[in-house]
Amino acid sequence: MDNFLVTLLFMALIGAAIGGVTNHLAIKMLFRPYKAIYIKNWRLPFTPGLIPKRRDELARQLGLTVVNYLLTPETFRKKFFSKDIQDKIEHLVQTKVEETVFTNDKTIQDWLNLAGFAHMPTTIEQKVEAIVEGQFASVKNTLSTKSIRTLLSADIQQTIDEKIPVAVGHILEKGEDYFLSPEGEMTIKAMMDDFLSTKGSFGGMISMFLGDSSSLVGKVQRELVKFLQAPGTSTLLTKIFTQEWEKFKDRPAMDFLQDIQFEPLLAKLQVYVKEQLAIEKRLNQPISYYWPQGNEWVKHQVIPQVIEKGFVKAEEKLEDVLKRLNLQEVVREQVDSFPVEKLEELVLGISKREFKMITVLGAVLGGLIGIVQGLIVYFI
């Protein structure tokens, strides 16, 4: 009986050792050896290990599994295109826009500095100077090459044409008032005296013959008034003014601007435009200064629509993007390039307890098998 127990215990120990060692070796052979072992041209069986040997197939299958079951378009839709995600992104964007864009702490110039346009005021002023100079040169060229007739529109010319008779009537009316006034009478008398004085002794004789010139002045005055009131005078002056106006319209505008110094005028105009624009001062204001309602409008109108349209477009392009990413090939390449040593360390680190239990289970089963064999040998 003692020999039976010793034999039974011995066979149990042998079975347990074989079962434990076999399972432990099987686990190790999943990864090791990492490379095939050759004796001359003969490859040692079971080398390399199972995972290194089937690495390419494993990488392909893992890539297919990821694409077909893990990172599918439907998975992305559920995770990234849900209403909850859209609301969170919308709230985040609204908060960031309010805190950054429409804050009073940052001016437009500060944003330009961040974007790398620190010299924007100077650049704008230079552009303004160039525009003013170009427009000034264009106007000057127009004045030099075109007549007044071509510069004035047809309605303006017609208006001036219609105003010539009115202006003539006004001039004649004012002339009549002047010559009937004491001042006009003195002018007539002075003109007559000057005229007679230029005639020498003959003029003196006429003066002595006429005696008092007051009656002659009155006669001249009445004749002048009659002349101004005559319809022919108005017609004559209207004709003269019309003819001169037609000649005036055919002359280049630059004929009347010969004495003007254009360079100082251009410089003053550029300075005036820059002063009125006040670019630097305007850029040193926040966006909210020019657009007080901008924050509310952007938050409640622009951002929700942009986010919604962005989600719709992104969802429409999702499958195409996933195809372009070629996740299957990415996973295959990553698995294929991943060191087997690191993969073994990772798997064993995660499943260390389970592998140890497999080894223990192998030892237990081996021990039970050894006991069964011992009992069979005893009874036989």
Side-chain angles (χ1 to χ4, degrees), residues 26 41 44 54 80 144 148 177 203 209 227 270-271 275 326 348 352 368:
N41 294 328
L44 191 66
R54 307 292 294 274
F80 299 107
S144 301
I148 294 176
D177 292 340
F209 176 77
F227 174 77
Q270 289 174 328
V271 171
E275 288 177 351
N326 197 4
L348 293 180
K352 185 176 182 180
L368 291 176

Side-chain angles (χ1 to χ4, degrees), residues 143-372:
L143 295 175
S144 301
T145 57
K146 294 186 178 182
S147 64
I148 294 176
R149 186 187 301 275
T150 58
L151 294 175
L152 296 179
S153 61
D155 56 337
I156 293 178
Q157 294 184 44
Q158 182 179 357
T159 302
I160 295 176
D161 292 341
E162 294 172 353
K163 291 297 182 182
I164 288 178
V166 178
V168 169
H170 184 71
I171 291 172
L172 292 176
E173 182 180 347
K174 290 299 180 181
E176 182 180 345
D177 292 340
Y178 177 76
F179 286 119
L180 289 176
S181 66
E183 184 180 356
E185 185 177 349
M186 293 298 295
T187 301
I188 293 172
K189 184 178 183 304
M191 291 174 64
M192 290 179 60
D193 291 341
D194 291 340
F195 174 75
L196 293 175
S197 65
T198 59
K199 303 304 179 180
S201 59
F202 180 72
M205 289 176 62
I206 294 175
S207 296
M208 290 175 63
F209 176 77
L210 293 175
D212 187 10
S213 62
S214 299
S215 59
L216 183 59
V217 170
K219 292 179 180 181
V220 172
Q221 190 179 39
R222 286 191 295 273
E223 293 300 324
L224 283 173
V225 171
K226 288 181 181 180
F227 174 77
L228 295 176
Q229 292 176 346
T233 304
S234 176
T235 303
L236 177 62
L237 289 179
T238 301
K239 181 179 179 181
I240 293 172
F241 280 15
T242 302
Q243 290 175 348
E244 292 301 320
W245 168 236
E246 291 298 326
K247 293 178 182 179
F248 178 83
K249 288 192 292 184
D250 291 330
R251 295 179 63 182
M254 189 58 71
D255 289 354
F256 305 96
L257 304 173
Q258 295 293 338
D259 296 332
I260 296 178
Q261 299 294 325
F262 287 99
E263 287 74 14
L265 183 61
L266 172 61
K268 290 181 180 179
L269 182 60
Q270 289 174 328
V271 171
Y272 174 78
V273 172
K274 288 191 293 184
E275 288 177 351
Q276 294 302 309
L277 290 176
I279 300 299
E280 187 171 355
K281 181 180 178 181
R282 295 179 189 276
L283 291 179
N284 281 324
Q285 297 289 348
I287 297 177
S288 57
Y289 177 83
Y290 300 103
W291 196 9
Q293 299 82 19
N295 183 32
E296 294 300 318
W297 184 75
V298 170
K299 282 177 61 178
H300 301 295
Q301 297 293 330
V302 178
I303 293 177
Q305 295 182 16
V306 171
I307 296 296
E308 183 177 358
K309 290 182 179 180
F311 266 70
V312 171
K313 291 295 183 182
E315 191 171 357
E316 290 176 355
K317 299 291 184 180
L318 177 61
E319 293 188 13
D320 183 58
V321 170
L322 291 178
K323 288 180 181 179
R324 292 177 180 273
L325 288 176
N326 197 4
L327 294 177
Q328 178 180 342
E329 184 64 20
V330 172
V331 173
R332 189 197 67 77
E333 290 178 356
Q334 291 299 314
V335 173
D336 200 38
S337 62
F338 199 76
V340 180
E341 297 88 342
K342 292 293 183 181
L343 182 61
E344 180 187 15
E345 182 181 345
L346 179 63
V347 173
L348 293 180
I350 295 174
S351 306
K352 185 176 182 180
R353 179 181 296 178
E354 286 73 12
F355 285 145
K356 185 178 293 184
M357 290 302 298
I358 290 173
T359 303
V360 173
L361 180 61
V364 172
L365 291 176
L368 291 176
I369 292 172
I371 293 174
V372 171

Side-chain angles (χ1 to χ4, degrees), residues 26-246:
I27 293 171
K28 289 295 183 181
M29 288 179 67
L30 289 173
F31 299 94
R32 299 188 183 186
Y34 300 136
K35 296 180 180 180
I37 299 175
Y38 289 90
I39 300 176
K40 293 187 178 181
N41 294 328
W42 179 69
R43 181 173 63 84
L44 191 66
F46 305 110
T47 64
L50 177 62
I51 291 179
K53 183 178 182 180
R54 307 292 294 274
R55 185 175 189 172
D56 292 339
E57 183 179 349
L58 176 64
R60 286 195 301 273
Q61 291 299 324
L62 189 57
L64 286 172
T65 301
V66 169
V67 171
N68 294 332
Y69 300 100
L70 298 180
L71 300 181
T72 63
E74 189 61 30
T75 302
F76 281 100
R77 288 190 181 96
K78 290 180 179 179
K79 295 294 183 181
F80 299 107
F81 295 96
S82 65
K83 182 62 177 175
D84 183 56
I85 294 296
Q86 182 175 340
D87 292 339
K88 288 181 179 179
I89 293 178
E90 182 178 320
H91 177 70
L92 176 63
V93 174
Q94 288 174 337
T95 303
K96 291 299 181 181
V97 168
E98 184 175 8
E99 291 177 352
T100 56
V101 178
F102 291 98
T103 179
N104 290 326
D105 296 334
K106 285 189 176 181
T107 64
I108 298 175
Q109 184 61 53
D110 292 333
W111 287 109
L112 292 174
N113 292 340
L114 290 175
F117 299 102
H119 302 291
M120 183 59 71
T122 303
T123 303
I124 294 177
E125 288 185 351
Q126 291 175 350
K127 293 291 184 181
V128 168
E129 288 181 353
I131 291 173
V132 171
E133 184 176 358
Q135 293 298 317
F136 193 84
S138 177
V139 171
K140 185 178 178 182
N141 181 64
T142 301
L143 295 175
S144 301
T145 57
K146 294 186 178 182
S147 64
I148 294 176
R149 186 187 301 275
T150 58
L151 294 175
L152 296 179
S153 61
D155 56 337
I156 293 178
Q157 294 184 44
Q158 182 179 357
T159 302
I160 295 176
D161 292 341
E162 294 172 353
K163 291 297 182 182
I164 288 178
V166 178
V168 169
H170 184 71
I171 291 172
L172 292 176
E173 182 180 347
K174 290 299 180 181
E176 182 180 345
D177 292 340
Y178 177 76
F179 286 119
L180 289 176
S181 66
E183 184 180 356
E185 185 177 349
M186 293 298 295
T187 301
I188 293 172
K189 184 178 183 304
M191 291 174 64
M192 290 179 60
D193 291 341
D194 291 340
F195 174 75
L196 293 175
S197 65
T198 59
K199 303 304 179 180
S201 59
F202 180 72
M205 289 176 62
I206 294 175
S207 296
M208 290 175 63
F209 176 77
L210 293 175
D212 187 10
S213 62
S214 299
S215 59
L216 183 59
V217 170
K219 292 179 180 181
V220 172
Q221 190 179 39
R222 286 191 295 273
E223 293 300 324
L224 283 173
V225 171
K226 288 181 181 180
F227 174 77
L228 295 176
Q229 292 176 346
T233 304
S234 176
T235 303
L236 177 62
L237 289 179
T238 301
K239 181 179 179 181
I240 293 172
F241 280 15
T242 302
Q243 290 175 348
E244 292 301 320
W245 168 236
E246 291 298 326

Side-chain angles (χ1 to χ4, degrees), residues 10-27:
F10 178 75
M11 295 187 70
L13 292 174
I14 295 297
I18 293 173
V21 171
T22 301
N23 281 11
H24 179 74
L25 182 62
I27 293 171

